[in-house]
Amino acid sequence: MAIRSLKILFIFYFPTGTVRLWVGSGPYLDLDGEIWKGVTVTDSLDVIEAAMNGESNRLTMGVSGVAPVLANTAWREVNEDDVIGSKMQIIVQPCNEYDDPVGVRKVRFTGTVDDVIFGDDVQGDAVSSTVILELVNRFDLRTLASQVVISNTDQQARSAILNPGANPDRIAERLPRLNDKSIPWPVRR
């Protein structure tokens, strides 16, 4: 079967259990029999895409339409347990023309929770909760304000994670060797 769409999945490994969310409405049953709760992402998908592509080492993600029960559980966990530092992953699941999962899911971002901000919007008797998560990956503390990676070791590790199937990044080894070389211009005849 051909891949017709993708589902964006978020999995959080909190101290009291695992929370599974997906960008969409209603529940989603994956191939492993796990149920994912549908949510609306308040930020544009460009922000999530930048994190998945390794262009950003921080991700601020707002999730709205969170069921009050889930929002209350999250609030309780933040206040009672140490949610800060919990692992989070963004996963992409290929789907067929019927929106059924096919193939293998791919982890596109792995980070940790750096901060959690809660908000509620009340209209009449309806309460709509919003949770804003600030997430960081392992390169957050290793970068400068200009987003330049500090060392060759960090760059090699980043390259290996962002492009696992590519050849190792060896630019820092090759450039110093070119320092003592002369490169002749081609002669046209």
Side-chain angles (χ1 to χ4, degrees), residues 3-72:
I3 296 173
R4 301 290 181 172
S5 66
L6 297 172
K7 286 193 187 310
I8 299 175
L9 311 172
F10 305 104
I11 189 164
F12 297 90
Y13 300 98
F14 293 130
T16 57
T18 303
V19 175
R20 292 175 178 81
L21 306 173
W22 75 285
V23 179
S25 61
Y28 160 65
L29 181 67
D30 69 10
L31 293 173
D32 298 329
E34 300 289 348
I35 296 176
W36 301 68
K37 295 178 179 158
V39 294
T40 302
V41 176
T42 59
D43 301 315
S44 69
L45 290 178
D46 293 345
V47 175
I48 296 170
E49 184 180 12
M52 290 186 338
N53 291 336
E55 298 168 11
S56 172
N57 56 352
R58 285 189 154 269
L59 171 62
T60 301
M61 184 178 78
V63 178
S64 68
V66 177
V69 173
L70 184 60
N72 291 338

Side-chain angles (χ1 to χ4, degrees), residues 124-138:
D125 292 338
V127 177
S128 175
S129 297
T130 301
V131 179
I132 299 172
L133 299 160
E134 292 182 4
L135 309 161
V136 295
N137 69 10
R138 64 187 273 188

